Amino acid sequence: MSAGGLASGKSDGEWLRVHPATPFVRGWVALAAIAYFFGRDSFERMLQGQPLIDDRIAGRAPLLLGGGALMLVLAVVSFILSWYYTRYQVAGGYVRVNTGFLFKQQRQARLDRVQAIDIVQPLLARIFGLAELKFEVADAGESAVRLAYLRIDDARQLRATILARASGVRLDPAQPEAAAPEAPEQQVLQVPPPRLIGSLLLSEQSVFVVLGAAASVLLSALTENRAFFLYLIPAVLGLVAAYWSSFNKGYNFTAAISPDGIRLRYGLLDTQAQTLPPGRIQALKVAQPPLWRLFGWYRMQVNAAGYGAGANNGEAGARTTLLPVGTWDDVLNMLALVLPDPGTADPLRVFRQGVNGLDSDAGFVTTPRRARLLAPLGWRRNAFTATDTALLMRSGRWWRQLVVVPHQRTQSIALQQGPLARRFGVADLVLHTTAGPVAPRVIQADVREAQALFDAQAARARAARRRQTSEQWLAQVAPGLGEPPRQPTETQEQPAQAPQQEGQQRG
């Protein structure tokens, strides 16, 4: 059976194998380690013009070569067995992956719970025309299913089929289990490399390194001790590594829209094609560091189920980035994809005030003036407003940010009030969504307004969840393109419950 069963017309439900080269692409490091361990001394002796085998161990050479050959054979056999016992199946509304020879494991994911699906190509896999398929499901702490490796065309075909069934696209009624063609796409934006490089040079890391360098020069001049420059070496090395990682992951970043969802592509050495259904985004943040204001640049990040568990590592950080650096027009384009119905008659004014505004323009409710001592610079920025479809929270005078949470994505709500906040009559309201880089929080709102927002947001979230009668995201974003909604039966999952209302937490 081939890896491209769906693409080649094989029946749905048949167990298929990944590409035969998979174990060697994944295990080349082990083969290189074996070759290095047994061949290092001989290689060094060859460079020095000496015999390849030391006379002192010449008698044991056959034994060493036999041991190396045995380890190589065992590694190759384990590779072959891992490939033979790795199979996948798409059937009955599930995708299943079986792995393991001695310790068997089966992982499965419901197609209607697929949150996002990625095609990843490490450098070696790109050379062989292979790709890894990852898909995230709700409540998954890590990738629920990973298929490595398939031929790139087969990976795209399988992704198209899974996303079509997950999103609710109506396929040919005569062949409901047939492979779906890859959906067309329309490019929305592309980040040019010069802008990406400029954003890195004007990033927060650069500011800290410049301040550290200035402090080192000053201390060296005052103390006549040049040792302070040594402290800059690890900082510079760390900065170079961070720059390279960000450039490698953000290079050639493009965003496109298709019936499958938002398609993101990026990467220099290791490329990744990510498909994120807009109806499954839990929260969104638009941020602007201080130096980026010179060029009007912004960054956008999202919370999505399955991505948050490793949000602190580079891979998860790239996967939760909706826009690494873009202009205001780029921000509006991406907002239109994530929140097609902003729920307000003047969305441009509301979002502009949310990102760059002050005070109570466009309906924002700010921190009361009596509490300005708690945030002397930010009290006019800290504010919130609600539209018919989402809650908007802005904060930060220097590092500006706007957080947008669709009402139906609010999982729970909490009021928090510390001793100083109680003294000034303000409180914070925290919205809980899936884990990720976005932390929705209304900062220092008047306590009465915070309590009113607590009740109103719970009611809005409850009503929005009642209207969400399908797990298929396309039926929520564009009902006319998906399957018509069906009445729930005893075997169907009931709509999600209203968000839990946590008690008012007093700290």
Side-chain angles (χ1 to χ4, degrees), residues 32-320:
I34 294 174
Y36 174 79
F37 180 79
F38 286 96
R40 178 187 60 181
D41 291 339
S42 297
F43 182 73
E44 291 177 353
R45 294 177 65 83
M46 182 184 67
L47 294 179
Q48 297 171 1
Q50 302 178 8
L52 294 181
I53 300 178
D54 193 336
D55 294 336
R56 292 172 296 180
I57 62 172
R60 291 178 293 174
L63 183 62
L64 294 176
L65 292 176
L70 178 61
M71 291 186 63
L72 181 62
V73 169
L74 290 176
V76 172
V77 170
S78 66
F79 289 169
I80 294 175
L81 289 176
S82 69
W83 166 79
Y84 185 81
Y85 285 96
T86 299
R87 301 185 182 188
Y88 69 93
Q89 176 195 57
V90 180
Y94 287 86
V95 57
R96 300 178 178 89
V97 178
N98 285 349
T99 57
F101 169 57
L102 296 178
F103 302 95
K104 296 183 180 296
Q105 181 184 52
Q106 181 180 95
R107 306 195 73 176
Q108 66 178 18
R110 278 178 49 178
L111 296 184
D112 61 356
R113 292 296 184 91
V114 171
Q115 299 287 326
I117 189 164
D118 307 341
I119 292 180
V120 183
Q121 284 190 285
L123 182 59
L124 188 60
R126 289 173 60 188
I127 295 175
F128 289 96
L130 304 179
E132 178 183 8
L133 205 62
K134 298 181 183 177
F135 22 138
E136 313 291 345
V137 296
D139 304 325
E142 57 184 16
S143 293
V145 176
R146 299 170 70 105
L147 280 176
Y149 288 89
L150 308 177
R151 289 193 306 111
I152 181 62
D153 292 338
D154 295 337
R156 289 171 178 164
Q157 177 64 76
L158 183 57
R159 179 186 65 171
T161 300
I162 292 175
L163 283 174
R165 298 179 188 177
S167 63
V169 173
R170 284 181 295 209
L171 303 176
D172 185 1
Q175 296 179 335
E177 303 296 336
E182 188 168 9
E185 65 178 44
Q186 180 179 355
Q187 183 170 311
V188 176
L189 60 88
Q190 183 174 14
V191 177
R195 185 195 299 169
L196 179 63
I197 296 174
S199 70
L200 296 176
L201 296 178
L202 297 178
S203 63
E204 299 91 331
Q205 297 97 321
S206 299
V207 174
F208 293 134
V209 169
V210 170
L211 292 178
S216 298
V217 171
L218 181 61
L219 291 174
S220 298
L222 294 177
T223 62
E224 297 182 356
N225 185 354
R226 297 177 182 268
F228 289 103
F229 288 105
L230 297 178
Y231 295 107
L232 288 178
I233 296 177
V236 171
L237 293 178
L239 182 66
V240 171
Y243 280 167
W244 168 250
S245 177
S246 299
F247 181 77
N248 182 42
K249 294 181 182 302
Y251 182 80
N252 198 31
F253 185 97
T254 60
I257 185 62
S258 76
D260 292 339
I262 302 172
R263 292 183 179 175
L264 307 177
R265 295 185 178 89
Y266 48 87
L268 178 59
L269 298 181
D270 299 344
T271 63
Q272 184 155 324
Q274 180 179 349
T275 303
L276 187 62
R280 295 288 174 86
I281 292 176
Q282 311 293 311
L284 176 144
K285 177 174 68 175
V286 182
Q288 185 183 50
L291 296 180
W292 285 18
R293 295 187 211 170
L294 299 174
F295 299 94
W297 292 340
Y298 303 86
R299 178 190 300 122
M300 299 181 70
Q301 295 174 290
V302 297
N303 286 358
Y307 284 174
N312 293 326
N313 63 52
E315 180 186 1
R319 297 171 75 191
T320 56

